[in-house]
Every structure is written in structure tokens, then in C-alpha cells.
Amino acid sequence: GARNSAHLDRVARRVGHAFDAPISLVSLIDETCQFWAGAAGLSDDLNKERKAPRETSICGHVVAAAVPFVVEDVARDPRFANNPFLRKHGIRFYAGAPLRTSSGHVIGSLCVLDNKPRSLTDRDLKLLQVIADELMGETATLNAAHELASG
């Protein structure tokens, strides 16, 4: 609901600040689509939409690989250099950590993006994963609380 998305927007904003990244997303993936449940720094048109096709998303790769994923320079990465979505929005850097359910199922990624190439240390990447794991732990708790309340 809206309340959860405000919470996830705050999480995204904090992550963006922590990594000094202009854009940060809590991105959930299904077969066809990526949906930004939490977001900070998106352009107005993207913020209205809050979703994009899965095939243009780097998050899809995080979900498939189930490990943190970094693209230091999108324009130099053959997998993404011709990606119309990334080019249109000037995305040059991506780092994402998988969002795992308690059963180990990856449902999306917590990611930071920049419009200039950069790199992350292993420590930074571990931190991103820690935040992703904490967020999922919290979300499970929130969901359980919600089910109790509405059951």
C-alpha cells in the first residue's frame, strides 16, 4: 500500500545518501516487469510510472544471478551499452544487491545508480547486501504484522 511505499522511498533515499548516488531503487521483479516499490532521485516521468520492462532492467540480472552485481560503466559493458532505457536516462553506473525472501527466493534488488561511471569496494557491496537483507527481514515482519491485523 501507499504507506509501505513511503517507507520504501525513505529506505531508498537513505541508501542513496549512504552511497552518494543520485538514484536509488527498491526494485521488485516479475516475469515481464520491474516495479520500483521504493525510489529516490527518479525523473518525474519515471517516478509517475514506477515501472519498466524487465528486459531493459539490470535488476533482472541480479535476480537471475542471486548475487550482488556491479556495472562500473554501463556504456562500456557489452550487455548494456545498447540498452535504450539506460541510454535514454543517462545511467552509467549500477550496483544492486538481491532482495531475498526467507526461503531464499530473490524477488528484486536494492540498487544505486549514477550518471557517471564509478566503482564500489567489496566492503560497499557487502554493506548494500546487509541493507537489502535487513529490509527483507523488516518487510517479512511488516507482512506478518499486517496479516495478523487483517486476519
Side-chain angles (χ1 to χ4, degrees):
R3 200 187 46 174
N4 207 14
S5 106
H7 168 68
L8 292 174
D9 285 353
R10 280 196 299 277
V11 171
R13 221 176 10 253
R14 284 205 300 269
V15 171
H17 286 312
F19 287 88
D20 199 21
I23 302 171
S24 46
L25 304 168
V26 179
S27 183
L28 303 177
I29 301 267
D30 66 17
E31 284 75 62
T32 58
C33 198
Q34 59 170 333
F35 165 70
W36 302 311
L42 286 179
S43 63
D44 290 344
D45 56 331
L46 284 180
N47 204 39
K48 268 207 295 287
E49 285 286 305
R50 284 291 181 121
K51 60 181 191 298
R54 177 173 177 154
E55 65 264 20
T56 60
S57 79
I58 304 184
C59 295
H61 290 258
V62 178
V63 171
V67 292
F69 190 80
V70 178
V71 183
E72 296 192 347
D73 187 352
V74 167
R76 290 172 179 273
D77 190 312
R79 291 168 298 188
F80 307 113
N82 296 317
N83 183 312
F85 178 82
L86 299 170
R87 284 174 71 158
K88 179 183 172 196
H89 298 286
I91 309 276
R92 290 292 295 276
F93 168 81
Y94 175 97
L99 294 169
R100 278 193 199 88
T101 64
S102 52
S103 58
H105 186 64
V106 179
I107 58 165
S109 85
L110 176 67
C111 58
V112 290
L113 300 90
D114 206 333
N115 38 27
K116 55 182 193 289
R118 48 189 283 198
S119 57
L120 274 192
T121 64
D122 287 347
R123 188 160 164 254
D124 283 342
L125 206 52
K126 276 202 193 80
L127 176 63
L128 192 62
Q129 184 64 71
V130 165
I131 301 169
D133 292 343
E134 277 179 2
L135 177 61
M136 287 306 290
E138 229 176 78
T139 311
T141 315
L142 289 172
N143 287 341
H146 174 71
E147 275 162 27
L148 279 175
S150 58

